Amino acid sequence: MPLAESTHALPLKVPTVPPSQGPNLSKALPKLTPRKRRERPESPLPAPGTPSLPAPPDIESIALKEPSRRILSPHDHDLFLKSPTYSLILSFVFSLSESCAGKKISSVQAAAQPPIIQSLLAILSSVLSLVYSNPPADQGASRFGNPAFRSFIDGLSSHLSEYHSSLNLPTPDAITETSTYLLHSFGSRERIDYGSGHELNFILWLLCLNRLSLLPPSTFPALALSVLPQYIHLLRKIQSTYYLEPAGSHGVWGLDDYHFLPFLFGASQLLHHPYIRPLSIHNELVLEEEGDEYMYLDMVRYTVSTKSVKGLKWTQPMLDDISGAKNWEKVERGMRRMFVKEVLGKLPIMQHFLFGGLIPAAEGMGAEEKAEETDHKEDHEHGPGHVNRNDEWGDCCGLKIPSTVAAAQEAKKRGGEEFRRVPFD
């Protein structure tokens, strides 16, 4: 029969290969089981808790006076760290932070704020007007502190009595003590710089008003979400106008050139947020849309805008590293530890801390006549009680550091809306 007419194909016979006679090793191999991922170890230092805030004292039992420096040696600093005043500061700062947990800035309505909060905001607005009435002096393209800042501080000093009279403080001595902290909240008149120690003075100003029963705990959310943000924005105007040098800046290895507390309060705001994560600080859209509501994002947004290099890993590696945290709870706990260690625990910062009757010094601490700042210059003689700064960030009082904010302002003067960033990423 022809091949084309065939309807059935013959089956193809494939020769079978005999199985290997070698040993069966499938059961000899160990069973592969996935390892449990080890949790990243927590910091060996536990996050400090919030001590209970003591009731305001009886004013008649307190000797109100002009605050002065009392931490004149490492021994004085050790006494402070074990004192009731140290616990009082921790309690007040952490209570303010807890009062804004999970809240947006807009949750505090201006119309519903008590009169004392409105008075504080009015004082900050008045301070802003002093900036406009004391314009910076022409100093070429210099990015160091502008001497017109001293005129601003002098103008502020002349208005202190007026500001505090509007707060209904009980006695002239109370005005003298409380106003000293406000005067030292905007930077050093001598060095034309600003740092976390000056920021702490602003908090101490509020603490004095709390000790005078003018700021009860019910006002804490408004203080954290309304007064502090206005203070931060006021300082940005002062920094960009007078080119304040960052006091004791760690450069790129620090959290921020000027501020710390907005990061602590801002991390508290973002606790349990449904979609904003620590890693979201790298998302420009999140910073733009949510920066007005959350202090942490606002600080990152502003920091990025003042840098000439694009990318937090180049300009602020500490912020970049923190963004890898699993949640905002870890960030908030870390900020608490940092406040204790890097602010209250640092002698170069705390040697300028002022003590009075409302914020008393511990028994046995040194004494100074009044709150005078030593005039620190490149070639200077140390005043009594000056503590040399022997650490890795600079010798003695630290090196003069030009402001990055000044760099951005000088670029705008040259005709650009903003300076060109180098895209390292």
Side-chain angles (χ1 to χ4, degrees):
M1 178 183 297
L3 181 62
E5 297 180 1
S6 176
T7 58
H8 299 284
L10 296 176
L12 182 63
K13 293 184 178 181
V14 180
T16 59
V17 179
S20 174
Q21 300 300 320
N24 185 5
L25 300 178
S26 61
K27 295 182 180 180
L29 295 175
K31 185 178 181 181
L32 297 179
T33 56
R35 294 182 179 180
K36 293 183 179 180
R37 181 176 295 179
R38 292 184 178 181
E39 292 290 334
R40 200 172 188 177
E42 291 285 344
S43 171
L45 297 175
T50 304
S52 59
L53 185 65
D58 181 10
I59 300 303
E60 295 182 356
S61 64
I62 295 178
L64 299 173
K65 55 187 176 182
E66 183 177 358
S68 61
R69 292 174 58 227
R70 301 292 300 274
I71 300 179
L72 309 178
S73 67
H75 175 68
D76 294 335
H77 190 216
D78 291 338
L79 291 176
F80 164 74
L81 295 177
K82 301 173 184 177
S83 68
T85 297
Y86 173 78
S87 298
L88 174 65
I89 295 170
L90 285 186
S91 176
F92 186 68
V93 170
F94 291 161
S95 294
L96 287 176
S97 179
E98 290 175 355
S99 72
C100 62
K103 298 177 182 177
K104 296 182 178 181
I105 290 178
S106 62
S107 65
V108 178
Q109 301 296 328
Q113 292 173 359
I116 183 64
I117 297 298
Q118 297 178 10
S119 297
L120 297 180
L121 296 175
I123 290 175
L124 295 179
S125 297
S126 180
V127 175
L128 177 61
S129 67
L130 293 177
V131 178
Y132 291 110
S133 60
N134 293 275
D138 184 9
Q139 54 179 9
S142 173
R143 287 189 271 168
F144 290 97
N146 194 294
F149 175 71
R150 297 189 176 106
S151 299
F152 161 75
I153 291 294
D154 292 341
L156 172 63
S157 179
S158 65
H159 285 78
L160 287 177
S161 179
E162 171 191 345
Y163 292 160
H164 289 79
S165 296
S166 67
L167 298 177
N168 297 320
L169 269 64
T171 64
D173 289 339
I175 293 178
T176 298
E177 176 164 342
T178 304
S179 63
T180 301
Y181 291 104
L182 181 63
L183 179 62
H184 289 79
S185 299
F186 300 98
S188 167
R189 183 186 184 280
E190 303 299 330
R191 300 185 300 275
I192 315 182
D193 64 7
Y194 178 92
S196 54
H198 301 103
E199 179 185 68
L200 181 60
N201 277 324
F202 183 76
I203 296 298
L204 297 179
W205 179 57
L206 301 179
L207 177 56
C208 285
L209 298 177
N210 170 265
R211 297 294 86 193
L212 293 170
S213 301
L214 296 175
L215 290 176
S218 60
T219 63
F220 286 6
L223 291 177
L225 297 175
S226 184
V227 175
L228 182 64
Q230 182 163 334
Y231 167 74
I232 296 299
H233 285 86
L234 169 60
L235 257 299
R236 289 177 184 171
K237 178 63 178 178
I238 294 174
Q239 292 156 5
S240 61
T241 300
Y242 302 114
Y243 296 177
L244 300 189
E245 299 164 17
S249 172
H250 292 186
V252 299
W253 304 112
L255 194 63
D256 183 79
D257 280 342
Y258 297 109
H259 297 286
F260 173 79
L261 289 178
F263 291 98
L264 170 62
F265 292 6
S268 181
Q269 277 186 281
L270 289 163
L271 289 174
H272 314 298
H273 195 280
Y275 62 86
I276 298 179
R277 300 289 182 264
L279 203 59
S280 300
I281 66 171
H282 299 283
N283 189 321
E284 294 183 3
L285 184 60
V286 171
L287 297 179
E288 182 63 29
E289 293 186 348
E290 303 288 355
D292 293 337
E293 293 287 3
Y294 298 99
M295 282 180 277
Y296 195 102
L297 302 182
D298 179 53
M299 291 299 299
V300 175
R301 180 177 61 179
Y302 182 73
T303 297
V304 170
S305 71
T306 62
K307 302 299 182 181
S308 59
V309 174
K310 188 174 182 179
L312 284 176
K313 68 181 179 181
W314 304 108
T315 61
Q316 302 293 119
M318 181 177 288
L319 280 176
D320 180 69
D321 184 59
I322 293 173
S323 70
K326 184 178 181 181
N327 50 50
W328 288 108
E329 288 82 355
K330 287 192 174 183
V331 176
E332 196 267 347
R333 291 197 297 269
M335 291 298 168
R336 286 184 176 232
R337 284 191 288 263
M338 192 178 296
F339 176 70
V340 169
K341 182 179 179 181
E342 300 296 333
V343 179
L344 299 184
K346 288 295 185 181
L347 182 56
I349 294 176
M350 297 307 297
Q351 68 178 353
H352 300 291
F353 191 95
L354 303 176
F355 296 88
L358 297 171
I359 304 176
E363 187 70 27
M365 292 175 62
E368 226 179 29
E369 288 298 323
K370 56 182 179 178
E372 288 184 348
E373 293 184 271
T374 305
D375 189 6
H376 298 270
K377 300 177 181 178
E378 282 193 34
D379 295 314
H380 63 280
E381 294 183 0
H382 295 148
H386 178 83
V387 180
N388 285 338
R389 178 177 173 175
N390 298 316
D391 59 23
E392 66 272 30
W393 301 114
D395 57 341
C396 189
C397 309
L399 303 175
K400 288 173 68 67
I401 303 173
S403 167
T404 57
V405 174
Q409 294 299 311
E410 287 298 318
K412 290 181 180 180
K413 288 180 181 179
R414 291 194 295 269
E417 287 297 322
E418 61 179 5
F419 51 157
R420 186 167 63 92
R421 306 190 197 290
V422 182
F424 274 18
D425 292 333

